[in-house]
Amino acid sequence: MKRFIYIFIALVTLAGCKFGFEVENDADPGVYLSCIASPDSISYYLRYASPLGVNAGDIPEVKVKDSSISISGRSLDQNPLIVEDGIRVYPVSGMLGTGDEVRVVVRTETLGDLDARTAIPAQISLENVSMTRTDMMGIIMDDFTFRLDRQPEEGEYVGLFMSRTVSPDERIWGWEEEPADSLEGPRIKYLTPATTVATNADVELCQVDFCWPRYIRTWSMGYGREEPFTVIPAEAFRNQEVSLMVTSFAGMLGGYPGAEGEDEEDEKENEPFDPEYTFTVMSVSEEFYRYSLALHRSRTDFLALMGLAPAQFAWSNVNGGFGFCGAVSNKSTIELPLSLLLEEE
């Protein structure tokens, strides 16, 4: 009771805080650069960064004089493969390894020059994954434990994708209503673990919508069918392991695979659905983590969004512009059906 009173007083005090500030809109336009390097490709795109108050239709394209990419000081002289409007992708398979530096230099006609660099992080792999499940009246809490092939060192960061196949009769918020037999292949649901670690609550995990291996979406996380990518600092791991919780209310809607209270007659008539889980990890550079953390905070720092605390979202390692240049290692993947995943405990 005493603890509740203290929390209540703190909330009332916080609500009474007031910050006075004026918004100035005298910034010059600039260039936003997004670059991701992997052992297989280097991709980047440019966007015009406009001050506030400019109509979207009036924002021009970035006019580039020339650009260059170098790998550990060696110039990359290849034609890019354009995979999407504005995104330039350079195949570099076999040319990049751990520690190799990637540098991107862009000279524009009116917005100055940009210079950004990153380095390929050391490879890391999944050794195994296990899961324990708690079903509380349809609220499904899955606790996943990931074991790596080595303990990440200080200053290393691990990125994680989690997904599973979807039962034909499962309801998911946001899915369009489509007949199961009209879909090409199984439906995939990307999982979003909580960004807290029980063993160390001070460690900051973050999530972005990462379209491997091309770019980080800055506009779609939390909308539609995003692909959450969780970035985990080395400090979160203990003896090569980290545990992350995924909570779902889909069991209350019916059709959730493995949930309690499923229709026994349906199970007798049809073989129980055994979803396939896919787990993918890779190392990411510090620049990748710092930029991802800034994006994550911009969506989750509610006190700052409400004006009750200073905003601390901005981060960039692009000299002469905005954005980031980061790198990832090769990926490591484990696929397990739910039945085996639970047996891994």
Side-chain angles (χ1 to χ4, degrees):
M1 185 64 182
K2 184 181 295 185
R3 182 180 178 185
F4 173 78
I5 293 173
Y6 290 152
I7 294 174
F8 178 77
I9 293 173
L11 289 174
V12 171
T13 303
L14 180 61
C17 293
K18 185 176 181 179
F19 295 87
F21 61 92
E22 294 181 2
V23 177
E24 295 183 359
N25 186 25
D26 57 357
D28 294 325
V31 179
Y32 172 85
L33 167 70
S34 174
C35 175
I36 295 179
S38 76
D40 295 322
S41 66
I42 299 172
S43 62
Y44 79 87
Y45 68 91
L46 304 171
R47 293 290 185 270
Y48 187 96
S50 172
L52 291 173
V54 177
N55 293 326
D58 296 331
I59 297 177
E61 295 292 328
V62 177
K63 295 181 180 180
V64 177
K65 282 184 179 179
D66 58 71
S67 62
S68 64
I69 298 177
S70 61
I71 299 174
S72 295
R74 307 184 309 275
S75 178
L76 177 66
D77 185 19
Q78 289 187 352
N79 293 323
L81 171 65
I82 307 298
V83 296
E84 195 169 319
D85 183 34
I87 301 177
R88 304 167 69 86
V89 181
Y90 297 80
V92 292
S93 182
M95 301 174 62
L96 280 171
T98 300
D100 282 339
E101 182 188 73
V102 173
R103 182 183 182 187
V104 178
V105 177
V106 178
R107 297 177 61 216
T108 70
E109 291 187 4
T110 60
L111 298 173
D113 300 340
L114 285 71
D115 189 336
R117 62 190 72 195
T118 187
I120 301 295
Q123 173 72 28
I124 205 159
S125 300
L126 267 178
E127 200 168 86
N128 61 56
V129 184
S130 61
M131 184 186 87
T132 58
R133 168 167 289 182
T134 304
D135 187 342
M136 298 181 61
M137 302 178 65
I139 302 175
I140 311 298
M141 292 177 287
D142 292 336
D143 189 10
F144 295 89
T145 298
F146 301 90
R147 182 172 178 81
L148 304 178
D149 63 339
R150 62 180 178 85
Q151 171 66 28
E153 298 179 2
E154 183 179 356
E156 288 191 301
Y157 305 90
V158 179
L160 168 69
F161 281 119
M162 303 173 62
S163 66
R164 64 171 173 81
T165 54
V166 177
S167 169
D169 59 344
E170 180 181 348
R171 292 182 180 179
I172 297 180
W173 295 109
W175 282 102
E176 295 91 348
E177 292 297 329
E178 298 174 282
D181 57 4
S182 72
L183 300 175
E184 296 181 2
R187 292 188 300 176
I188 302 297
K189 168 66 176 177
Y190 280 86
L191 307 179
T192 307
T195 53
T196 55
V197 179
T199 56
N200 192 342
D202 294 329
V203 176
E204 287 193 278
L205 277 63
C206 57
Q207 286 168 345
V208 289
D209 191 1
F210 178 36
C211 301
W212 163 266
R214 302 294 183 235
Y215 61 96
I216 294 176
R217 286 195 184 103
T218 59
W219 61 88
S220 64
M221 185 68 178
Y223 302 94
R225 301 182 186 182
E226 68 274 2
E227 301 176 19
F229 185 64
T230 305
V231 188
I232 313 166
E235 294 83 356
F237 289 85
R238 293 290 182 272
N239 300 318
Q240 303 175 222
E241 294 184 347
V242 67
S243 294
L244 300 176
M245 177 75 74
V246 175
T247 303
S248 174
F249 296 92
M252 303 174 68
L253 303 175
Y256 193 84
E260 296 176 1
E262 292 180 326
D263 195 315
E264 295 182 1
E265 293 184 4
D266 288 345
E267 287 189 7
K268 292 178 182 178
E269 295 177 1
N270 305 305
E271 184 176 343
F273 179 71
D274 194 10
E276 185 83 7
Y277 282 74
T278 301
F279 309 96
T280 298
V281 302
M282 65 198 77
S283 295
V284 305
S285 66
E286 182 175 359
E287 301 90 3
F288 192 110
Y289 170 72
R290 297 297 174 194
Y291 183 75
S292 299
L293 182 60
L295 278 181
H296 182 76
R297 285 175 174 173
S298 73
R299 301 184 181 104
T300 58
D301 191 340
F302 298 109
L303 292 179
L305 292 173
M306 291 187 297
L308 299 176
Q312 301 179 24
F313 308 150
W315 190 90
S316 176
N317 67 327
V318 178
N319 294 322
F322 312 97
F324 89 114
C325 181
V328 299
S329 72
N330 283 318
K331 58 184 181 179
S332 168
T333 299
I334 287 180
E335 296 181 350
L336 287 170
L338 177 62
S339 55
L340 289 182
L341 189 60
L342 291 170
E343 290 179 4
E344 291 286 334
E345 298 177 40

